Amino acid sequence: MATGQLFSNTTQALFYNYKQLPIQRMLDFDFLCGRETPSVAGIINPGSEGFQKLFFGQEEIAIPVHATIESACSAHPTADVFINFASFRSAAASSMAALKQPTIRVVAIIAEGVPESDTKQLIAYARANNKVVIGPATVGGIQAGAFKIGDTAGTIDNIIQCKLYRPGSVGFVSKSGGMSNEMYNTIARVTDGIYEGIAIGGDVFPGSTLSDHVLRFNNIPQVKMIVVLGELGGRDEYSLVEALKQGKINKPVVAWVSGTCARLFKSEVQFGHAGAKSGGEMESAQAKNQALREAGAVVPDSYEAFESAIKQTFDKLVEEGKITPVKEFIPPQIPEDLNSAIKSGKVRAPTHIISTISDDRGEEPCYAGVPMSSIIEQGYGVGDVISLLWFKRSLPRYCTQFIEICIMLCADHGPCVSGAHNTIVTARAGKDLVSSLVSGLLTIGPRFGGAIDDAARYFKDAYDRNLTPYEFVEAMKKKGIRVPGIGHRIKRGDNRDKRVELLQKFARTHFPSVKYMEYAVQVETYTLSKSNNLVLNVDGAIGSLFLDLLSGSGMFTKQEIDEIIEIGYLNGLFVLARSIGLIGHTFDQKRLKQPLYRHPWEDVLYTK
């Protein structure tokens, strides 16, 4: 492996298996370091394509998303690092696929628990093809002031504290990602910071070893000293011992192998990593530390003395003129995300939507403050749910029953009315359910089903002003306005609409007052004296009876009643009800596999 520097301030990566936080942390690090281009060139999310929006400093950018490794590598030929956030189940296969791409040079495998046999195959392929594997079970690595992998070094605050936004003089390698973060801080306190840091991962068979990276560091001119943090278990550190003995490393190495406390336990102990388990005396921390010391590394007597050993080595290099400490500067401020700023109370932001009818933030959704479990447990019906979501209160049972009756009676009126006809024609044209439904709903208006609000509005105005039916009808006639809720194309005075009769019967039985309905009946009596088809239709019945519901229940103020009528609540009832029938007509035509509809020319009057 050897060679030299892995990353630079122009290195770009492909990120496998989209994770918003580690990618954003990489981009924030880029901005902190003054990079001109984002370090994430593309995202690979198997089966998905498009873009993901993220921030590069203050600017929002769109990073391409690719469905396959091959397409991503083809689209971004200069991206030579593959950061694999796949689970342990698929990490090996996706990593091998990446290694086989000619553009990929470094693969970092984050997942723990990758089968050892799979890891061995990855290692063999990488070594045979002069490629580098970092991990599995790694947090990654970092080139100070240039590039970092995923969550390496943690938060921006920690990165700034560890001076990772600019290069130092120390090369650092460790098995542990968590301890790497700790050591970045330690090194920054007593030196000018790290130049490059790598966590090789804690598995038994890491893709690259401690000595692989130490030998690399030895070839990097900017690295003046090397710090190594090993651990008990395995024999990786002994390859470093051999390299030291053979004179392959000519830079100071300060090392410590953790796990010396293992001897305090009576039986063998498995520490956090899969590889952190002593398999004999040679794999003990004490034996490794002694071997490193004898090979020429600076090895302290304890972990507590590790920091001072690093400091002494660094100070000596400064005194010898081999290191000119980096001049410090203040890095740019990373803009804080709005959500975190709001949480911390630093800013206040206006909301974009107001909702008073439902809330989905708690353990269960609530309708007008009533939890979903209560709605089910108390046996609420559709009318009760409408009363909560439309009127923001629980109406008496007779009110919600009336709402349900209206829905049932208005659900459909056959295939010949304009709404159903439109829906049928659209469904037969092969359109989907929503398109077919909407084509029918768009016919609802003053001439079809949309007169309920107008009927309620005009009946209420006339009744409240004490107009007689004669005065009301004749005043409307003078204005050239048909009385909404009066008149039917089929029904007559001697053939009343059964739906109207059912609604009136229910209201007379259950409503405390039906004054508006009775007024509408009086108007009907007068209009029938003019023409036998000027009967009270279902729009007029619902409109007048809803006035009685609103005023008679005692739960609405006059202002609220006026607002309900003005907004269009009552037409909403017809829209909701008729949607049931229109959906039924759509399904009916689809089920019958009806062909495209063409209106017969015999039914068209062709004229000049």
Side-chain angles (χ1 to χ4, degrees), residues 56-225:
F56 185 59
Q58 200 92 31
E59 179 187 359
E60 197 169 21
I61 60 173
I63 297 181
V65 177
H66 303 275
T68 65
I69 294 170
E70 293 76 13
S71 62
C73 291
S74 176
H76 310 284
T78 59
D80 58 1
V81 177
F82 183 83
I83 302 172
N84 195 344
F85 265 75
S87 71
F88 70 91
R89 297 176 185 85
S90 60
S94 49
S95 295
M96 182 61 81
L99 284 170
K100 289 181 178 180
Q101 298 303 309
T103 55
I104 297 299
R105 186 174 49 85
V106 179
V107 172
I109 308 170
I110 310 302
E112 296 183 37
V114 176
E116 292 178 0
S117 58
D118 291 340
T119 303
K120 288 178 180 178
Q121 290 179 27
L122 292 172
I123 294 169
Y125 186 90
R127 291 193 181 278
N129 291 274
N130 198 30
K131 299 195 176 189
V132 178
V133 174
I134 302 172
T138 181
V139 72
I142 186 168
Q143 177 83 45
F147 177 84
K148 88 180 186 89
I149 294 171
D151 291 315
T152 301
T155 65
I156 286 296
D157 288 343
N158 188 65
I159 287 170
I160 292 173
Q161 191 172 350
C162 297
K163 304 174 185 175
L164 296 170
Y165 50 85
R166 85 303 182 270
S169 305
V170 180
F172 171 77
V173 62
S174 166
K175 288 186 176 181
S176 168
M179 285 305 296
S180 291
N181 285 354
E182 179 66 29
M183 287 304 300
Y184 294 151
N185 195 298
T186 299
I187 292 169
R189 284 199 302 267
V190 296
T191 73
D192 61 358
I194 71 157
Y195 184 79
E196 183 185 325
I198 297 289
I200 65 170
D203 279 3
V204 177
F205 299 101
S208 50
T209 65
L210 297 173
S211 58
D212 285 336
H213 293 287
V214 171
L215 290 168
R216 267 198 322 105
F217 294 158
N218 196 64
N219 294 336
I220 301 172
Q222 296 91 332
V223 173
K224 306 300 183 182
M225 63 176 283

Side-chain angles (χ1 to χ4, degrees), residues 171-332:
F172 171 77
V173 62
S174 166
K175 288 186 176 181
S176 168
M179 285 305 296
S180 291
N181 285 354
E182 179 66 29
M183 287 304 300
Y184 294 151
N185 195 298
T186 299
I187 292 169
R189 284 199 302 267
V190 296
T191 73
D192 61 358
I194 71 157
Y195 184 79
E196 183 185 325
I198 297 289
I200 65 170
D203 279 3
V204 177
F205 299 101
S208 50
T209 65
L210 297 173
S211 58
D212 285 336
H213 293 287
V214 171
L215 290 168
R216 267 198 322 105
F217 294 158
N218 196 64
N219 294 336
I220 301 172
Q222 296 91 332
V223 173
K224 306 300 183 182
M225 63 176 283
I226 300 166
V227 175
V228 180
L229 179 63
E231 63 184 25
L232 83 165
R235 303 200 174 190
D236 187 11
E237 289 81 359
Y238 287 105
S239 60
L240 176 56
V241 169
E242 289 305 308
L244 286 165
K245 285 181 176 178
Q246 292 169 16
K248 293 180 179 179
I249 302 165
N250 53 30
K251 296 177 181 180
V253 175
V254 183
W256 176 254
V257 179
S258 60
T260 53
C261 65
R263 285 185 176 176
L264 300 175
F265 298 95
K266 293 181 180 179
S267 59
E268 190 173 58
V269 175
Q270 171 72 61
F271 286 83
H273 295 147
K277 181 179 181 181
S278 178
E281 177 57 29
M282 277 195 72
E283 294 186 12
S284 70
Q286 284 85 348
K288 291 182 180 183
N289 280 324
Q290 184 59 34
L292 285 165
R293 189 180 289 114
E294 290 174 356
V298 177
V299 181
D301 294 329
S302 66
Y303 178 78
E304 288 75 15
F306 198 20
E307 181 175 335
S308 61
I310 296 169
K311 184 179 187 307
Q312 288 168 13
T313 303
F314 179 80
D315 289 346
K316 184 180 178 183
L317 290 170
V318 172
E319 287 175 15
E320 294 172 351
K322 294 178 180 178
I323 292 180
T324 302
V326 177
K327 189 176 181 181
E328 200 52 73
F329 67 92
I330 299 173

Side-chain angles (χ1 to χ4, degrees), residues 449-524:
I452 303 176
D453 284 310
D454 283 341
R457 189 178 299 112
Y458 282 112
F459 283 141
K460 184 176 186 301
D461 178 69
Y463 179 87
D464 291 351
R465 291 196 293 129
N466 294 317
L467 296 181
T468 65
Y470 168 81
E471 291 171 332
F472 170 50
V473 174
E474 295 305 320
M476 295 288 282
K477 183 179 178 181
K478 286 181 181 179
K479 295 176 184 176
I481 303 173
R482 294 176 181 272
V483 178
I486 295 291
H488 204 284
R489 293 180 63 85
I490 299 173
K491 299 300 179 181
R492 299 289 185 269
D494 55 355
N495 179 26
R496 302 296 180 89
D497 191 331
K498 189 67 176 176
R499 297 175 299 172
V500 173
E501 292 177 349
L502 290 169
L503 290 168
Q504 290 174 334
K505 181 180 178 181
F506 179 86
R508 287 192 174 104
T509 304
H510 298 94
F511 282 26
S513 169
V514 288
K515 61 183 182 181
Y516 289 106
M517 185 201 75
E518 295 296 0
Y519 182 76
V521 170
Q522 293 171 26
V523 171
E524 178 194 45

Side-chain angles (χ1 to χ4, degrees), residues 362-383:
E363 292 183 4
E364 58 179 321
C366 293
Y367 293 166
V370 180
M372 191 62 66
S373 55
S374 298
I375 291 172
I376 301 302
E377 290 164 3
Q378 295 176 28
Y380 280 31
V382 172

